[in-house]
Amino acid sequence: MSPVTVRVPAKVNLELVVGSPRSDGFHELATVFQAVSLYDDVTALTGDHLTVSIEGEGADTVPTDDSNLVLVAARMLAEHLGVEPHAHLHVHKTIPVAAGMAGGSADAAGALLALDRLWDARLDRDELVELAGRIGSDVPFALVGHTALGLGRGEKLTPVLARGHFHWVFAFAEDGLSTPDVYAELDRLRAGSVLPEPRVSDALMSALRAGQAVALGAALSNDLQRAAVSLRPDLSMTLDVGDEYGALGALVSGSGPTCAFLAGDEEQALDLAVALTASGTCRTVTSAVGPVAGARVVDS
Ligand code: C5P
């Protein structure tokens, strides 16, 4: 079989409403995901064992033991198909690691789709999405892409009508943040509060329907932001730079520490990127657009 390469996007949560912790340790969520044009490539090749190699952004910080989500995905798909999990998976990373942009989830989604083709299984999308949800809360969205509402722990997806294209600037931080630590910090900060069932705002949905960047910027929100900033107070300086230089909205992406800024157009995005870089409040800055498609085969 010839190698199969799958390109998978990162995500930003336009709104993330976190409910109470559940008995399984996860939190009930209502979130709107948007896939953005920052990609990891996952290539599946034939092999005698199951192996993984990683290059690119943050590659040396990704574990290559059994906890690697690419290997988890490969084993899960092989078991589902009743085949041996024999393949080599190579990941080329552009999405930062442990950054709140679902990079690990993207790699798992890429491995599922690439191996589905390498092993000539051709499962339908729904079956792949169901397997993806067992790997992690954000893995189904990496397959589906575009803009989607996520309920449950984020894995129950419904497409959202979003008009137009939005211009994003992302400020990457020096070190990652652990997602469980950020949720635990939120629980600590909200201890004793009675939380309503999470739901996303009408303001966000209508901004997306209308394709209005100004309204979208005003409606962006993330319950995990206060927890991420509590653990990493320096993030508030990065967010302030965005506000100061005309971002339509600024928020922590997912569990952070990446900060996401919405710009009105490409030129404003460039100005914002220059200001953030010059501020010295982050490691590196990149621009992207959203929404974009989910995982797709680019070369086979
Ligand atoms: O699903 P995933 O493996 O990406 O989740 C990583 C961790 O994030 C979980 O172990 C849990 O601590 C936290 N989490 C949560 N509620 C969610 C999603 C994730 O508490 N809905």
Side-chain angles (χ1 to χ4, degrees):
M1 284 296 289
S2 39
V4 182
T5 297
V6 171
R7 183 156 294 167
V8 202
K11 61 84 184 165
V12 59
N13 300 80
L14 307 179
E15 184 169 11
L16 177 47
V17 186
V18 181
S20 307
R22 313 192 308 200
S23 53
D24 63 2
F26 287 89
H27 292 70
E28 203 64 19
L29 297 182
T31 189
V32 176
F33 295 105
Q34 182 157 95
V36 296
S37 60
L38 185 66
Y39 301 100
D40 282 359
D41 283 349
V42 182
T43 302
L45 308 101
T46 49
D48 298 331
H49 310 279
L50 178 58
T51 49
V52 64
S53 56
I54 302 166
E55 65 168 328
E57 163 77 32
D60 51 341
T61 63
V62 179
T64 47
D65 64 10
D66 282 355
S67 69
N68 185 295
L69 288 184
V70 161
L71 298 179
V72 173
R75 288 204 185 86
M76 188 170 291
L77 181 65
E79 192 179 323
H80 183 78
L81 298 172
V83 300
E84 289 297 326
H86 291 168
H88 177 69
L89 290 151
H90 181 72
V91 183
H92 186 282
K93 293 204 64 66
T94 309
I95 309 171
V97 176
M101 299 194 75
S105 300
D107 300 342
L112 276 181
L113 185 56
L115 288 172
D116 174 73
R117 297 302 166 86
L118 186 79
W119 293 336
D120 204 21
R122 302 261 166 182
L123 296 181
D124 65 35
R125 274 265 152 159
D126 288 350
E127 223 169 335
L128 281 178
V129 167
E130 198 277 321
L131 285 173
R134 289 195 237 157
I135 301 168
S137 310
D138 293 340
V139 185
F141 180 71
L143 282 175
V144 169
H146 302 284
T147 307
L149 173 69
L151 298 175
R153 55 186 170 83
E155 87 288 15
K156 292 183 188 144
L157 298 174
T158 317
V160 165
L161 177 68
R163 236 183 273 280
H165 269 75
F166 298 101
H167 296 269
W168 292 98
V169 178
F170 295 100
F172 302 151
E174 207 58 60
D175 298 303
L177 265 176
S178 140
T179 303
D181 288 356
V182 177
Y183 275 97
E185 179 66 1
L186 183 67
D187 289 342
R188 192 186 69 76
L189 292 169
R190 303 198 304 194
S193 313
V194 179
L195 300 166
E197 192 166 318
R199 62 181 295 272
V200 298
S201 69
D202 294 339
L204 185 94
M205 291 306 216
S206 61
L208 286 169
R209 264 196 309 274
Q212 285 178 348
V214 173
L216 180 64
L220 297 172
S221 78
N222 177 4
D223 282 355
L224 290 177
Q225 179 161 317
R226 58 187 285 219
V229 172
S230 169
L231 294 172
R232 296 278 288 276
D234 53 320
L235 291 180
S236 59
M237 289 197 296
T238 316
L239 293 167
D240 286 349
V241 174
D243 287 335
E244 208 174 310
Y245 285 88
L248 302 178
L251 83 175
V252 167
S253 179
S255 55
T258 301
C259 293
F261 304 91
L262 184 64
D265 55 31
E266 205 176 332
E267 202 182 322
Q268 276 180 25
L270 192 62
D271 289 347
L272 207 49
V274 169
L276 283 159
T277 305
S279 74
T281 62
C282 50
R283 175 171 61 87
T284 176
V285 178
T286 195
S287 302
V289 294
V292 297
R296 64 187 199 282
V297 176
V298 290
D299 183 27
S300 54

